[in-house]
Amino acid sequence: MSNTDFDVCVRGSGIVGRTLALLLGQAKLRVALVEPAIQTNAGAASIGRDIRAYALNHASRQLLETIRCWPSSPATTPVKQMCVFGDAGGVIHFDAGAGEASNLGDALAWIVDVPSLEDRLEDALSFQPFVERVNEPVEAPLTAICEGKFSVSRENLAVVVDTYAYPQHAIATRVRASRPHWGTASQWFYGPHILGLLPLGGGQGDEYAVVWSTSIAEADRLLSLSDDALSLEMQALIASAEGQSHEKGSQDVTTATAFTLTGVRARWPLRLAKAQQWVGTMPGAPDQSWVLLGDAAHTVHPLAGSGLNLGLGDVGLLSQALQQRPVWRSVADRRLLRRYERERKSALLPYAFVTDRLQWLFWQDQPWVQSLRNLGMRGFAASPFKSWALNQVRHA
């Protein structure tokens, strides 16, 4: 296929970009996938396994199954329970329910190992004749920008991004536990810390992906510790947070568990960001359009694990809109693209609002705020709204 034959040029070959290319190729749209000469994860590959893991919901799983890229166990771990602990007795437990049908209803979410997912996407691309890999952008009626939060293409288009930098950094690593996790994910809000443990290795595994958000000063201190000292610090935080829970049996989750670091450590600053404009006309080419997807369009706090789900939601809606458009309508049609922008901005709003407010609420150290937020957690756990929220998480 020659460079003048493309319908869509996808800039960015991460999970969002590759998934979009495969979905459009499956619909027989001609796609150019721009891949850099040096992959961004080459450094991680050179030192061993990638420490990243994503919590994917049912909609994301269905999307990846459509292109036959859903990894098999133990690369995917079903989350059967989710336990969220406040810092003064607040506890919320989510349970998938043992009596439900053994299909998409048997898990709250799935924790997916990143290298395994990337391998599946790579294999699928090698068999997709409608997707051609290129080393630099080419002209096409539609350019889909999936380059991530520091997108060069978005910057070159002079798109304004509304950004709030949180006074926090996130640390990621992996640990092995002294006993199986049985598909339980846990999260603790304690002082400046938001600590999440995501189960890995299948339902009976004993490994976790760690995402630890904290103040910049605390991140500096934690990264200066030895592996053993960091493990003990994590166990101490869990014991302190769960020790304040008033719910009988809550300490059985992980307080008695010992952890050993098994992965390297990564760190990144946290921010809330949304591009003001997600679609537009390519400069000097009135018949060509561009569209933003994934982190190039938005980023949220990682405490809810929504980042990749939101990006794959962008992919699902855009690919659906392009596939279902009338034959007379171009893939560059601005009316079609603006509809995508409106719907995805609306979908982003509640996630961005909730994660931002939760981060703010637990960042405050006044005693009355602490009491209020934990009272709210206990009230939420006992209310009918919990079932509604659980359904939103599972089927969004």
Side-chain angles (χ1 to χ4, degrees):
M1 144 187 346
S2 69
N3 285 352
T4 59
D5 288 336
F6 295 113
D7 297 304
V8 181
C9 176
V10 177
R11 299 188 186 183
S13 58
I15 292 173
V16 169
R18 291 187 182 194
T19 302
L20 178 64
L22 286 166
L23 280 167
L24 298 182
Q26 194 175 69
K28 294 184 168 52
L29 288 173
R30 298 157 298 180
V31 180
L33 177 62
V34 183
E35 294 185 323
I38 300 176
Q39 296 298 319
T40 56
N41 63 351
S46 67
I47 59 176
R49 71 186 292 193
D50 196 316
I51 62 170
R52 295 174 299 163
Y54 289 114
L56 297 185
N57 62 17
H58 293 267
S60 294
R61 173 173 177 164
Q62 289 176 318
L63 188 72
L64 291 168
E65 286 181 334
T66 299
I67 53 175
R68 300 180 180 180
C69 288
W70 183 252
S72 57
S73 181
T76 56
T77 302
V79 176
K80 300 293 187 178
Q81 295 184 68
M82 176 70 184
C83 305
V84 181
F85 296 89
D87 53 4
V91 181
I92 302 174
H93 287 178
F94 295 99
D95 196 318
E100 298 188 12
S102 180
N103 49 33
L104 288 182
D106 64 353
L108 297 170
W110 290 265
I111 309 303
V112 179
D113 189 58
V114 169
S116 299
L117 176 54
E118 290 176 335
D119 288 345
R120 294 299 299 268
L121 292 168
E122 179 65 22
D123 289 344
L125 283 169
S126 66
F127 291 102
Q128 177 47 259
F130 285 89
V131 178
E132 181 176 328
R133 303 168 197 256
V134 296
N135 293 325
E136 57 185 21
V138 299
E139 286 193 4
L142 178 63
T143 294
I145 299 171
C146 312
E147 294 172 334
K149 64 184 71 173
F150 303 114
S151 170
V152 174
S153 297
R154 184 191 63 202
E155 182 178 348
N156 291 339
L157 290 166
V159 176
V160 176
V161 181
D162 297 322
T163 303
Y164 172 72
Y166 291 112
Q168 297 174 315
H169 281 189
I171 298 171
T173 187
R174 293 197 178 186
V175 296
R176 191 170 301 283
S178 59
R179 59 181 181 177
H181 50 61
W182 305 115
T184 298
S186 302
Q187 187 172 52
W188 296 266
F189 292 85
Y190 191 71
H193 305 285
I194 305 174
L195 173 63
L197 295 185
L198 308 178
L200 296 170
Q204 300 181 32
D206 60 0
E207 193 174 14
Y208 291 94
V210 179
V211 182
W212 192 337
S213 302
T214 189
S215 66
I216 297 172
E218 275 293 287
D220 290 338
R221 185 183 68 83
L222 291 172
L223 287 174
S224 71
L225 299 177
S226 68
D227 287 357
D228 289 344
L230 184 60
S231 297
L232 291 174
E233 187 93 7
M234 187 174 71
Q235 289 170 223
L237 186 152
I238 292 170
S240 297
E242 291 190 4
Q244 296 196 34
S245 170
H246 303 314
E247 182 165 321
K248 183 179 179 181
S250 65
Q251 294 190 48
D252 294 336
V253 180
T254 48
T255 300
T257 305
F259 301 99
T260 304
L261 256 70
T262 59
V264 297
R265 308 176 202 179
R267 174 184 184 173
W268 64 95
L270 300 180
R271 67 178 195 166
L272 176 67
K274 185 178 75 171
Q276 291 186 2
Q277 186 181 3
W278 291 19
V279 303
T281 303
M282 291 296 287
D287 59 339
Q288 297 178 18
S289 298
W290 58 264
V291 59
L292 302 180
L293 299 93
D295 285 353
H298 48 74
T299 58
V300 297
H301 197 286
L303 66 88
S306 306
L308 184 56
N309 289 314
L310 289 170
L312 291 178
D314 297 344
V315 169
L317 183 62
L318 181 63
S319 61
Q320 181 184 61
L322 296 181
Q323 292 177 49
Q324 295 179 356
R325 76 189 193 285
V327 293
W328 48 265
R329 179 168 287 180
S330 166
V331 294
D333 187 276
R334 247 79 75 187
R335 181 179 299 179
L336 180 150
L337 297 175
R338 283 194 293 269
R339 187 181 307 129
Y340 154 82
E341 179 183 37
R342 288 194 301 270
E343 291 189 26
R344 290 311 297 163
K345 281 185 174 180
S346 295
L348 170 68
L349 185 62
Y351 285 96
F353 178 79
V354 170
T355 55
D356 181 62
R357 291 299 87 191
L358 281 174
Q359 185 280 147
W360 178 88
L361 190 62
F362 280 92
W363 188 253
Q364 309 306 307
D365 58 4
Q366 298 94 329
W368 71 270
V369 177
Q370 183 186 53
S371 299
L372 180 62
R373 66 199 179 207
N374 284 276
L375 179 64
M377 289 183 71
R378 291 193 291 272
F380 174 85
S383 73
F385 184 72
K386 176 185 173 183
S387 298
W388 177 86
L390 178 60
N391 187 64
Q392 297 304 303
V393 170
R394 298 173 66 186
H395 300 290

